[in-house]
Every structure is written in C-alpha cells, then in structure tokens.
Amino acid sequence: MPTLRVPVIENIMSANDQMASQNRSQLDANRVYGINIMASPGAGKTSVILQTIRALTGQLKFAVVEGDTAPVTIDADKVIAAGMPAVQINTGGDCHLDAVMLKNGLAQLPLSDVDLVIVENVGNLVCPAAFSLGTHANVLVASIPEGDDKPYKYPAIYRGLDVLIINKIDLKPYIDFKMDYFRQGVEMLNPGLVIFEVSCRTGEGIEAWSNWLLQQVKKSG
Amino acid sequence: MPTLRVPVIENIMSANDQMASQNRSQLDANRVYGINIMASPGAGKTSVILQTIRALTGQLKFAVVEGDTAPVTIDADKVIAAGMPAVQINTGGDCHLDAVMLKNGLAQLPLSDVDLVIVENVGNLVCPAAFSLGTHANVLVASIPEGDDKPYKYPAIYRGLDVLIINKIDLKPYIDFKMDYFRQGVEMLNPGLVIFEVSCRTGEGIEAWSNWLLQQVKKSG
C-alpha cells in the first residue's frame, strides 16, 4: 500500500510574485522596458517623468502608468498633456501598487508600439518596497528637502533599488543636507548603486539620467 | 420551543479601535494629553517636536514616543538630547503605528509625571490615517517642498485631522507652491481645520502653534 505523503512545494512564489513574473513576460514579449518609480510624496516622481519624456522624445516611445490613492488625475493629465499615453490606477486608498494592478494597467496600453513603460508608484517610502511589479528596474526619487537621514530610516526601499535619483539639488544652498552622510547610508544598503543628482526645476543632471535610461532600454531590446 | 437565534452585534469595534479606546482611558486617567504627529518622510515631524519642546519647556512636562520602521534611534536620540523622556517603537518594517504599539510605548513612560505625550508616527501619508491610536488630536505636518497638490492626492489623512502644520515656509521663495490652491484642497476635505504655517528652521510660527497646543492641554486637564 503506498504511503500517503503530503506534497511539499519548495520556493513557492507569492501570488504577487507570480503575477509580477507574468508582467515581466508580457513586457519582454513586446520588447518593452519597464521601470517602477517610487518616492515619498512630493519628491518629484511626476517631474522626473515629464523631464525624461522631454529628454527622450524622438528617441523612445513611452507609456506611463500612474498610481494614485485617490481618483484624481492630476499626474496622468500632465503626462497626457506632454503627448504620451497614460493610464491611471486608483488604488482606492491602498498604499502601494501591486502586480495585479499593473497587469490591469498594462492591458490598457498599446504595448506593441511602446519602448518604455514608466510606472509611477504611490508616494510612500515603506509599502511599495514589498511588492515587485515585474518591471526591469526599481527607481527611487529622493529629494534634498526630505533630509539626509532617509536611507537610515527607510532601509528596505533602498536595498531593492537599481538606480537612485536625488532630486531638487537646486535647493541645496537653503537646506542643511549632508550629501556625504546620505550617500554613505545608501552605499551601506546597496553598494555600488547607480546614482544621479538632478534638479527637475533647472534641468541639471537630467541628460545624464536620461542617457543612462536610454542605454538600458537599448540593451534590453 | 425557543427559536434559535444568531446573535447580531452592532457597531462592533475593530481590535485596533478597542485598544485605542484603552489608550485614551489610560491617558485620561493620568491627565495626559496625547497627540499623534503624522507626515510624509522628511516633512519635519521631529523638528516640530523639538521646537515645541523648546517653546513649552517649563510650562509642560513632555514624553515622546518615536515610531520608526527600522531599529535606528536617530529621532529618539534628538529628543533625549533635548532633555525629554522618549521611547522608540520599531515597527519592524511596518508602515504605521497601531494602538497596540502605542500601548507598549505608553507602558514605558512615567505617565503620572507627564502632561503631554507626543507620538511621532512613521513617515507615511497613507497608512497611518487608517489606525487610530487613542490620542486626543491628530496632527499632520505638511511641508512646502512636497507640493501644493497633496490634499488632493492623499485625501484620507487630511479628513481625519484636528490640526495642520505647514512647515518649511522659509523655502517659499524658491519653490512654486500655491498656498491658496493647497488650502482650498484642505478646506474641501476638512472645513474649518486649524492651520499653522511655520518654519522650524527660522522659528517663525512656532509660538502660535505652541500656544494653541498649550491651551488644548490646559483645557483637557
């Protein structure tokens, strides 16, 4: 008589990770590079997106997925005004995007005619770090007014990054922000992380960031 | 034969609300006024707390509960350096304080010798709004660099406020922040909300806020 055995499944993926994996497959099948932009509220995610579109229009075809906790289309309207297709995902108060939400967003985009999908996550330095979306790169927009202690206080999000943008460097003269201390914290959590210092207000540093992004998209295609 | 009836419990409180109610009772029994300070990361919660302590030392006895997502004591150290008792609650990566965490924090404070407990929540504009702690007032620290659209994008937290502090007004000359648009959004969500404009850097507005807080503490005692 055969022994009754309880099946043991190792390395089972969470439901979110499974869906993230499907999102990645869908992006890859369409030769689309996807980035997930995270930040605390007001660090400048939308401004970075608009500057990136400005810098790379003519070189890449974009689409944008806007995550918001409320049914306001302030950010999506700005992207559409910049001439790019955008869909808005209202999380209904939830504090992060998850892979299912992104799947629904991707379904509304003309992926076969797009090179780069930019996902703007909900403004939050904690929760988005725990939900992979299936994009190719996690981007954090930090900003000078938030203070130089953020990597020490919100380590999880820094650990999972592929690239860091430090925005609002035009405000450095007016704020006590120790760049060495900030970068030391980042290096401790994520050694060798690619970092760009930019000002969406003045345009400083946007070219370097955009060129790096363009290279990533080309390499993946 | 009696009819078998399913008991229906109306207005059942969530576990968190029950614990929040216990926290409130504990504060009241000790004649302690409690405030819950929320904000997005880097808006200036700790700076507001330090300025408030400076303004009201000699008039009130304080204690501070510091919520952090990581085991770093940067903020608690600053409060202790200012001469006040402080306990730190490490949420272990969680995105908000809840009433049980505050209960554990209160247990470590000399409540019988305190007039005002200031709770510094985790830096997050979404999740803390959903968890009442049992404090007497919810305070949000907004800041100019975050942008004037935040009430429209994060309405839930604004709806539950008792007072709003707009920090970093010294940066107004360098940032495109429309105060009218910001205040219009707040008024829509929370009509008549008490608002203070301050700069923790220059000290502007701190006296007005501190006096208001002092009156609340006195009224409650």
Side-chain angles (χ1 to χ4, degrees):
Chain A
M1 198 180 149
T3 323
L4 197 67
R5 297 188 62 171
V6 177
V8 175
I9 300 166
E10 287 183 352
N11 295 325
I12 193 168
M13 292 173 85
S14 74
N16 184 75
D17 284 350
Q18 283 187 43
M19 191 56 72
S21 173
Q22 289 182 28
N23 288 343
R24 173 70 70 94
S25 300
Q26 197 192 356
L27 291 169
D28 288 344
N30 285 280
R31 299 190 169 210
V32 176
Y33 190 76
I35 64 174
N36 170 29
I37 302 196
M38 301 175 287
S40 72
K45 295 183 298 300
T46 310
S47 299
V48 164
I49 292 170
L50 293 174
Q51 286 281 16
T52 307
I53 290 173
R54 206 163 291 142
L56 295 178
T57 289
Q59 301 183 74
L60 288 181
K61 285 177 281 183
F62 294 85
V64 177
V65 177
E66 289 289 347
D68 282 291
T69 66
V72 289
T73 55
I74 296 173
D75 293 343
D77 291 347
K78 287 180 185 168
V79 171
I80 289 166
M84 296 296 150
V87 295
Q88 198 216 9
I89 300 174
N90 173 12
T91 67
D94 265 17
C95 49
H96 60 273
L97 291 181
D98 64 29
V100 174
M101 296 178 195
L102 181 58
K103 179 186 153 72
N104 294 334
L106 292 178
Q108 297 174 56
L109 290 173
L111 288 186
S112 60
D113 196 38
V114 162
D115 303 309
L116 172 65
V117 167
I118 303 179
V119 181
E120 179 172 349
N121 217 309
V122 173
N124 185 330
L125 277 193
V126 188
C127 316
F131 291 83
S132 60
L133 301 181
T135 50
H136 298 83
N138 282 329
V139 184
L140 181 71
V141 179
S143 70
I144 300 290
E146 287 168 65
D148 50 25
D149 56 2
K150 291 300 157 292
Y152 303 90
K153 288 183 175 174
Y154 300 88
I157 204 159
Y158 281 86
R159 279 198 198 96
L161 295 184
D162 299 292
V163 55
L164 170 65
I165 296 174
I166 306 172
N167 190 23
K168 307 194 189 182
I169 55 168
D170 55 295
L171 293 175
K172 261 200 272 186
Y174 316 112
I175 291 168
D176 181 26
F177 182 99
K178 294 180 192 68
M179 187 61 86
D180 284 353
Y181 177 66
F182 178 87
R183 279 178 169 264
Q184 200 176 353
V186 175
E187 180 65 20
M188 191 180 69
L189 297 163
N190 195 328
L193 182 64
V194 178
I195 301 177
F196 296 97
E197 297 185 19
V198 314
S199 163
C200 287
R201 200 175 194 216
T202 67
E204 190 181 344
I206 294 295
E207 196 182 338
W209 145 251
S210 300
N211 284 343
W212 179 88
L213 179 60
L214 181 61
Q215 294 315 312
Q216 305 307 305
V217 179
K218 284 186 173 168
K219 269 196 269 178
S220 78
Chain B
M1 199 179 147
T3 323
L4 198 67
R5 296 187 62 168
V6 177
V8 176
I9 300 166
E10 287 182 352
N11 295 324
I12 195 168
M13 293 172 85
S14 74
N16 184 75
D17 285 349
Q18 284 188 43
M19 191 56 73
S21 173
Q22 289 182 28
N23 287 344
R24 174 69 70 94
S25 300
Q26 198 192 356
L27 291 170
D28 288 342
N30 286 280
R31 301 192 166 207
V32 175
Y33 190 76
I35 63 174
N36 170 28
I37 302 195
M38 301 175 288
S40 72
K45 295 183 298 302
T46 310
S47 300
V48 164
I49 292 170
L50 293 174
Q51 286 281 15
T52 307
I53 290 174
R54 207 162 291 143
L56 295 178
T57 288
Q59 301 182 74
L60 289 180
K61 285 177 281 180
F62 295 84
V64 178
V65 178
E66 289 288 347
D68 282 291
T69 66
V72 289
T73 55
I74 296 173
D75 294 341
D77 291 348
K78 287 179 186 169
V79 172
I80 290 166
M84 297 294 150
V87 295
Q88 198 215 11
I89 300 174
N90 172 14
T91 68
D94 265 16
C95 49
H96 61 273
L97 291 181
D98 63 29
V100 174
M101 295 177 195
L102 180 58
K103 179 186 153 71
N104 294 334
L106 292 179
Q108 296 174 57
L109 291 173
L111 287 186
S112 59
D113 195 37
V114 163
D115 304 308
L116 172 64
V117 167
I118 303 179
V119 182
E120 179 171 349
N121 216 312
V122 173
N124 185 330
L125 278 193
V126 189
C127 316
F131 291 84
S132 61
L133 302 181
T135 50
H136 298 83
N138 282 328
V139 184
L140 180 72
V141 180
S143 71
I144 300 290
E146 287 168 63
D148 50 26
D149 57 1
K150 290 301 155 295
Y152 303 90
K153 288 184 173 173
Y154 301 88
I157 204 160
Y158 280 87
R159 280 199 199 97
L161 294 185
D162 300 291
V163 54
L164 170 65
I165 296 173
I166 306 172
N167 189 23
K168 306 194 190 183
I169 55 168
D170 55 294
L171 294 175
K172 262 201 270 186
Y174 316 112
I175 291 169
D176 181 25
F177 182 98
K178 294 180 192 68
M179 186 62 84
D180 285 352
Y181 177 66
F182 177 86
R183 278 177 169 264
Q184 200 177 352
V186 175
E187 180 64 20
M188 192 180 69
L189 297 163
N190 196 328
L193 182 64
V194 178
I195 300 177
F196 296 96
E197 297 186 18
V198 313
S199 164
C200 287
R201 200 176 195 216
T202 68
E204 191 181 342
I206 294 296
E207 198 183 337
W209 144 252
S210 300
N211 284 342
W212 179 88
L213 179 59
L214 182 61
Q215 293 314 313
Q216 305 307 306
V217 178
K218 284 186 174 168
K219 270 196 269 180
S220 78

